[in-house]
Amino acid sequence: MRKLGLIGGMSWLSTRTYYSEINRLVQRKLGKHASAPMAIESLDYRSLNNLESDEDWARATQQLVDAARRLEAGGAERIVITANVMHRAYDDVVDAVDTPVLHIADCTAHRLEAGNIGKVLLLGMRSAVSEGYLRDRIEQRGVKILPMNASDIEEVHRLIVEELKLGKASRDAERKLKTIITVSEQAGAKAVILACTELEMVVDVDANILPIFDTARIHCQAAADWAMSDKAES
């Protein structure tokens, strides 16, 4: 098997999901005693939370670049950033290392394209929904992301930051997300993209009004498939 390098700590709950899900997928294919070779750079989320200014993002980006370099030096053969929002720094990380970096939006767009999904609702933190670093890569595959109203964007962002990233999953959050998804279905959405790992805490990915595409789990599947693939393959 090939060694993965995970940049984590954004939050540690997300990192736990990646570690357990990748190993679960490996075990399912290779047997109950199998586990994936991995190195994890778990960063301090206090310095990566609520990034607003260009200076904040420059500092955070440098932390990811430094983490990627350490993973590369430690023998990681592919790097995975375990947070949708931190893919805002993806290009800088790619430029800093020779090791390939697996983009979460590319994996998700490929799955949507394979399922012939035309219109989707994108749920995540404010920058993940409003900026282009996820949206553009998804829409390049012919998938249309439906617009959200500003109040819903802010409410989902608040729930993620103030509740989910602290491990809290309230009934109120479940109801609010269900309402947003129902309204999007009425507006023509054919599926929902969960662009925040912690959203699975309040969105039932198996029993919902629309199909749910969980970016983290799709990302984990792609990482596990690569780790288990023949080294002669790309």
Side-chain angles (χ1 to χ4, degrees), residues 137-152:
R137 295 180 86 106
I138 292 171
E139 292 194 324
Q140 284 172 3
R141 295 291 190 98
V143 178
K144 179 176 175 55
I145 296 175
L146 296 180
M148 287 179 64
N149 65 58
S151 61
D152 284 344

Side-chain angles (χ1 to χ4, degrees), residues 27-79:
Q27 188 179 68
R28 187 170 68 187
K29 184 172 181 178
L30 300 182
K32 63 182 179 180
H33 296 301
S35 58
M38 273 189 270
I40 302 175
E41 277 284 331
S42 188
L43 305 177
D44 185 350
Y45 188 56
R46 290 178 299 177
S47 62
L48 298 168
N49 188 27
N50 286 334
L51 303 173
E52 299 289 348
S53 68
D54 290 342
E55 292 77 13
D56 289 341
W57 274 106
R59 173 176 43 79
T61 296
Q62 189 59 53
Q63 290 187 56
L64 265 71
V65 165
D66 291 343
R69 286 173 173 157
R70 290 191 293 269
L71 290 169
E72 182 173 69
E77 298 172 79
R78 185 149 298 187
I79 292 171

Side-chain angles (χ1 to χ4, degrees), residues 116-136:
N116 197 30
I117 305 294
K119 293 182 180 179
V120 299
L121 171 68
L122 178 65
L123 292 176
M125 294 178 69
R126 184 190 304 116
S127 71
V129 174
S130 302
E131 299 182 32
Y133 57 89
L134 298 180
R135 173 186 298 272
D136 291 350

Side-chain angles (χ1 to χ4, degrees), residues 20-230:
S20 61
E21 180 68 6
I22 290 170
N23 276 305
R24 185 186 67 81
L25 292 165
V26 166
Q27 188 179 68
R28 187 170 68 187
K29 184 172 181 178
L30 300 182
K32 63 182 179 180
H33 296 301
S35 58
M38 273 189 270
I40 302 175
E41 277 284 331
S42 188
L43 305 177
D44 185 350
Y45 188 56
R46 290 178 299 177
S47 62
L48 298 168
N49 188 27
N50 286 334
L51 303 173
E52 299 289 348
S53 68
D54 290 342
E55 292 77 13
D56 289 341
W57 274 106
R59 173 176 43 79
T61 296
Q62 189 59 53
Q63 290 187 56
L64 265 71
V65 165
D66 291 343
R69 286 173 173 157
R70 290 191 293 269
L71 290 169
E72 182 173 69
E77 298 172 79
R78 185 149 298 187
I79 292 171
V80 178
I81 301 170
T82 67
N84 281 270
V85 167
M86 298 315 297
H87 279 73
R88 193 178 193 266
Y90 176 85
D91 289 340
D92 293 277
V93 173
V94 168
D95 289 342
V97 294
D98 294 325
T99 305
V101 185
L102 188 62
H103 200 295
I104 197 168
D106 292 346
C107 302
T108 303
H110 179 73
R111 185 75 65 86
L112 289 162
E113 187 179 35
N116 197 30
I117 305 294
K119 293 182 180 179
V120 299
L121 171 68
L122 178 65
L123 292 176
M125 294 178 69
R126 184 190 304 116
S127 71
V129 174
S130 302
E131 299 182 32
Y133 57 89
L134 298 180
R135 173 186 298 272
D136 291 350
R137 295 180 86 106
I138 292 171
E139 292 194 324
Q140 284 172 3
R141 295 291 190 98
V143 178
K144 179 176 175 55
I145 296 175
L146 296 180
M148 287 179 64
N149 65 58
S151 61
D152 284 344
I153 292 173
E154 291 304 315
E155 180 60 12
V156 173
H157 181 87
R158 185 194 67 78
L159 288 171
I160 292 169
V161 171
E162 297 181 7
E163 297 186 24
L164 303 184
K165 285 191 176 291
L166 300 178
K168 301 175 183 178
S170 67
R171 291 287 296 170
D172 184 53
E174 290 180 15
R175 286 192 292 269
K176 287 176 179 176
L177 267 297
K178 187 172 183 178
T179 297
I180 291 171
I181 291 171
T182 300
V183 171
S184 75
E185 189 270 340
Q186 295 168 351
K190 302 302 181 185
V192 178
I193 300 173
L194 298 187
C196 175
T197 309
E198 291 85 1
L199 279 171
E200 68 171 4
M201 296 165 61
V202 289
V203 177
D204 189 339
V205 299
D206 297 316
N208 213 288
I209 189 171
L210 290 172
I212 303 295
F213 289 76
D214 185 335
T215 58
R217 295 193 180 274
I218 293 170
H219 206 198
C220 287
Q221 181 73 66
D225 289 346
W226 178 86
M228 293 184 287
S229 65
D230 191 292

